[in-house]
């Protein structure tokens, strides 16, 4: 072979976009550990402990809590295809890209889908669902808890009560919320939920944690038709993740090591401290950006700590700023999706990326780049305001 292919030398980036986010060093180390067989006693006990940590993180006792071998969208697909049979009515709440995707997945699974919509950046209030629930009597209602395209933080609990009063099951997208804000599966009576590893879990993309409660599993076991996807059929996956350990597919062993270690990192920090860290770094970033005159897009009082969607200031070149952030400062932030394309930046403070050093580095970089583009603001004020938030949090903690 005459051609020489270059050695793989990825640059070190600071990943502050909508995911993937920074990987915890312990998680990267875990991926390189020796691969064992997927039925090796060591691997089976690792799976058991991973399941137990996932239950803690989802705050559930659900037996059927495990990781689908694929990214967050496969978690979406897995929950939808198991709960839906062709012709079943499903209601999907759409206020951004991921609600739209859920409606598409449900349509492909043969559901009779009704979408209700709210403007991007806004959330659903319980009264928005009341009438349509009575009219459509859906089997499943799907909703996104953390809409990564807009930064809106959707409350779940009250809507869950309404959905169950109407006799439906509640399906929640927790891809960006899990690990960043509280997700209380049992207390909120969520029937099925899915997440992904590369948002707030400080882990590379590749696994989708999911959980089904007994009501959801009962509905899978009493289906008239087979689950349309062989790979994602939860009744078959149950025999692999349950006590029987029946071979279904070869689990991605080293990716499971990564998730195991990522969950251990969260477990050691503690959920309360982890959520508090996400909130503090968000407050510091928000103080800094606001001081530069930059506005947030999410509805007041419903801003997610880990995904900050902000309006690009007038006259600023989106591509140039994001390009320079990457090439000169090694920082990745996200552009807008869909109707926010070219208008919005999405700044992630997810998992291991949610650190004071990242917040201060990004604000320093934006201070320089926005000044170069002629924006008017007090140079340095963003960094000072962020530092003020950090300083006051230290005082109040003492
Ligand atoms: C990222 C994301 C997904 C899709 O996950 P992938 O890992 O990209 O497949 C789904 N829903 C939300 C809210 C997300 O942020």
């Amino acid at each position: 072979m005459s051609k020489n292919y270059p050695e793989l030398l990825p640059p070190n980036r600071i990943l502050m976009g909508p995911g993937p986010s920074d990987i915890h060093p312990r998680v990267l180390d875990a991926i390189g550990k020796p691969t064992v067989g997927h039925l090796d006693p060591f691997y089976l006990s690792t799976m058991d402990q991973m399941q137990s940590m996932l239950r803690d993180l989802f705050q559930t006792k659900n037996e059927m809590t495990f990781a689908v071998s694929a990214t967050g969208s496969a978690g979406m697909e897995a929950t939808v295809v198991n709960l839906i049979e062709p012709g079943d009515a499903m209601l999907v709440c759409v206020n951004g890209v991921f609600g739209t995707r859920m409606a598409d997945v449900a349509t492909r699974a043969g559901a009779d889908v009704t979408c209700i919509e709210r403007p991007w950046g806004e959330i659903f209030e319980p009264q928005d669902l009341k009438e349509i629930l009575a009219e459509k009597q859906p089997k499943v209602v799907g909703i996104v808890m953390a809409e990564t395209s807009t930064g809106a933080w959707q409350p779940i609990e009250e809507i869950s009560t309404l959905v169950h009063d109407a006799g439906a099951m509640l399906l929640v997208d927790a891809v960006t919320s899990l690990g960043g804000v509280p997700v209380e599966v049992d207390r909120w009576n969520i029937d099925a939920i899915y997440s992904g590893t590369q948002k707030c879990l400080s882990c590379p993309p590749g696994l989708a944690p999911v959980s089904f409660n007994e009501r959801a599993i009962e509905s899978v076991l009493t289906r008239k038709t087979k689950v349309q996807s062989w790979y994602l059929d939860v009744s078959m996956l149950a025999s692999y993740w349950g006590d029987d350990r029946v071979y279904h597919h070869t689990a991605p062993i080293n990716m499971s090591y990564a998730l195991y270690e990522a969950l251990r990192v969260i477990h050691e920090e503690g959920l309360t401290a982890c959520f508090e860290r996400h909130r503090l770094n968000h407050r510091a970033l928000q103080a800094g950006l606001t001081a530069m005159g930059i506005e947030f897009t999410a509805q007041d009082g419903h801003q997610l700590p880990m995904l900050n969607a902000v309006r690009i200031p007038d006259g600023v070149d989106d591509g140039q700023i994001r390009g320079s952030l990457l090439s000169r400062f090694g920082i990745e932030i996200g552009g807008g999706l869909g109707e926010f394309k070219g208008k919005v930046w999405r700044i992630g403070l997810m998992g291991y990326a949610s650190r004071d050093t990242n917040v201060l580095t990004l604000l320093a970089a934006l201070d320089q780049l926005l000044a170069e583009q002629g924006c008017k603001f007090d140079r340095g004020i963003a960094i000072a305001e962020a530092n003020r938030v950090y300083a006051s949090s230290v005082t109040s903690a003492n």
Side-chain angles (χ1 to χ4, degrees), residues 71-74 76 98 101 144 146 148 173 175-176 194 198-199:
T71 69
S73 303
M76 184 187 287
F98 294 102
R101 181 176 300 181
V144 178
T148 319
D173 177 321
V175 176
T176 285
Y194 59 90
Q198 80 275 25
K199 307 284 168 91

Side-chain angles (χ1 to χ4, degrees), residues 175-359:
V175 176
T176 285
S177 46
L178 192 69
V181 293
V183 175
E184 302 185 41
V185 170
D186 287 357
R187 204 164 70 78
W188 300 344
N189 199 7
I190 294 169
D191 298 288
I193 190 164
Y194 59 90
S195 188
T197 42
Q198 80 275 25
K199 307 284 168 91
C200 290
L201 303 185
S202 317
C203 192
L207 287 174
V210 296
S211 187
F212 296 82
N213 71 6
E214 277 176 25
R215 190 184 304 121
I217 292 296
E218 184 60 28
S219 102
V220 178
L221 296 178
T222 54
R223 289 171 62 108
K224 294 185 215 64
T225 58
K226 277 191 171 182
V227 173
Q228 161 248 322
S229 164
W230 179 90
Y231 195 70
L232 300 173
D233 183 334
V234 72
S235 61
M236 292 162 82
L237 288 166
S239 338
Y240 180 39
W241 282 86
D243 295 334
D244 302 346
R245 302 297 189 184
V246 177
Y247 164 70
H248 178 259
H249 68 280
T250 312
I253 314 292
N254 292 54
M255 195 49 218
S256 305
Y257 293 167
L259 178 57
Y260 176 89
E261 193 59 22
L263 293 168
R264 221 162 69 89
V265 166
I266 294 175
H267 185 76
E268 282 172 19
E269 182 178 20
L271 284 184
T272 309
C274 176
F275 301 147
E276 188 47 44
R277 172 172 54 81
H278 280 87
R279 234 172 58 81
L280 175 62
N281 289 315
H282 159 70
R283 284 204 294 122
L285 179 71
Q286 186 173 39
L289 293 175
T290 306
M292 284 196 285
I294 294 175
E295 293 168 3
F296 281 66
T297 62
Q299 187 177 333
D300 265 355
H302 294 284
Q303 169 63 52
L304 288 165
M306 63 296 226
L307 195 283
N308 300 266
V310 297
R311 296 205 183 279
I312 300 172
D314 285 342
V316 167
D317 185 326
D318 174 25
Q320 198 165 356
I321 296 277
R322 282 192 291 126
S324 300
L325 276 174
L326 194 68
S327 63
R328 287 168 54 189
F329 298 90
I331 300 173
E332 177 180 283
I333 66 166
L337 285 181
E339 61 185 71
F340 280 175
K341 195 169 165 31
K343 299 181 186 147
V344 162
W345 288 323
R346 291 181 302 149
I347 303 171
L349 291 171
M350 300 184 184
Y352 186 61
S354 177
R355 298 203 303 284
D356 51 4
T357 47
N358 281 358
V359 169

Side-chain angles (χ1 to χ4, degrees), residues 19 52 99 273 355 369:
S52 165
R355 298 203 303 284
L369 295 176

